[in-house]
Amino acid sequence: MKKYSVRINKKVHQVEADENMPLLWVLRDILGMEGTKYGCGVGSCGACTVHLNGDAVRSCQLPISALAGMEITTIEGLSLKGDHPVQKAWLDVDVAQCGYCQSGQIMSAAALLKSTPNPTEEDIENFMTGNICRCGTYTRIKKAIQQAAAKS
């Protein structure tokens, strides 16, 4: 196994892993950062979404060997106190039911608002399409994103 230096949530971590190990498992199994969830393992559900250099990506599809020099942000690093505008809106709107997909939903929504501060309903629907919510809270998710955009 090789050693890798990865920058996660503004902190450099040294990890030893197989070069093909997905970032998701590095986060969860090696570093103990369990906020990023495993959903499908093929990049289709969005539960494992993190930011890579500010863009929303699926961590289950990113091998550790491809991450040198990249800035990775997980749900744990989105804000120090859990007070990112999207996180606050999620609570205000009471989005989560089971909560399983929510870290991925929040990370996608935060990336959307960073790139498109005043998204239309269509922008939100198009950007969030890849994030699946088994409980079907899509209406509340959209409302929370709209609220976060209005307060940003």
Side-chain angles (χ1 to χ4, degrees):
M1 287 207 259
K2 291 178 80 175
K3 291 185 180 182
Y4 296 93
S5 179
V6 289
R7 187 166 169 81
I8 302 169
N9 301 330
K10 298 183 173 36
K11 182 179 177 189
V12 176
H13 298 268
Q14 304 299 323
V15 297
E16 190 171 320
D18 180 273
E19 66 184 288
N20 295 314
M21 179 180 263
L23 174 60
L24 174 64
W25 300 121
V26 171
L27 293 171
R28 293 183 61 80
D29 293 349
I30 296 176
L31 298 174
M33 296 179 184
E34 297 179 347
T36 303
K37 305 298 184 197
Y38 171 78
C40 66
V42 295
S44 295
C45 73
C48 69
T49 302
V50 298
H51 293 174
L52 184 63
N53 294 336
D55 295 323
V57 296
R58 306 299 194 248
S59 64
C60 72
Q61 297 296 295
L62 293 171
I64 187 69
S65 58
L67 301 174
M70 305 284 191
E71 177 65 40
I72 301 157
T73 305
T74 68
I75 189 73
E76 293 93 343
L78 190 59
S79 71
L80 293 176
K81 298 179 182 177
D83 59 355
H84 185 279
V86 174
Q87 291 171 308
K88 290 167 62 175
W90 242 247
L91 293 172
D92 291 346
V93 177
D94 197 23
V95 172
Q97 283 187 18
C98 82
Y100 196 81
C101 70
Q102 297 308 307
S103 65
Q105 298 276 2
I106 288 168
M107 294 304 287
S108 289
L112 166 64
L113 294 180
K114 184 176 179 187
S115 67
T116 310
N118 296 302
T120 64
E121 282 191 36
E122 185 178 4
D123 292 334
I124 294 169
E125 289 169 9
N126 288 338
F127 197 89
M128 298 300 291
T129 291
N131 287 78
I132 297 171
C133 174
R134 294 175 184 157
C135 299
T137 64
Y138 298 111
T139 303
R140 285 186 270 170
I141 289 168
K142 184 177 4 174
K143 183 177 178 182
I145 294 169
Q146 290 168 324
Q147 179 177 312
K151 291 185 177 181
S152 295

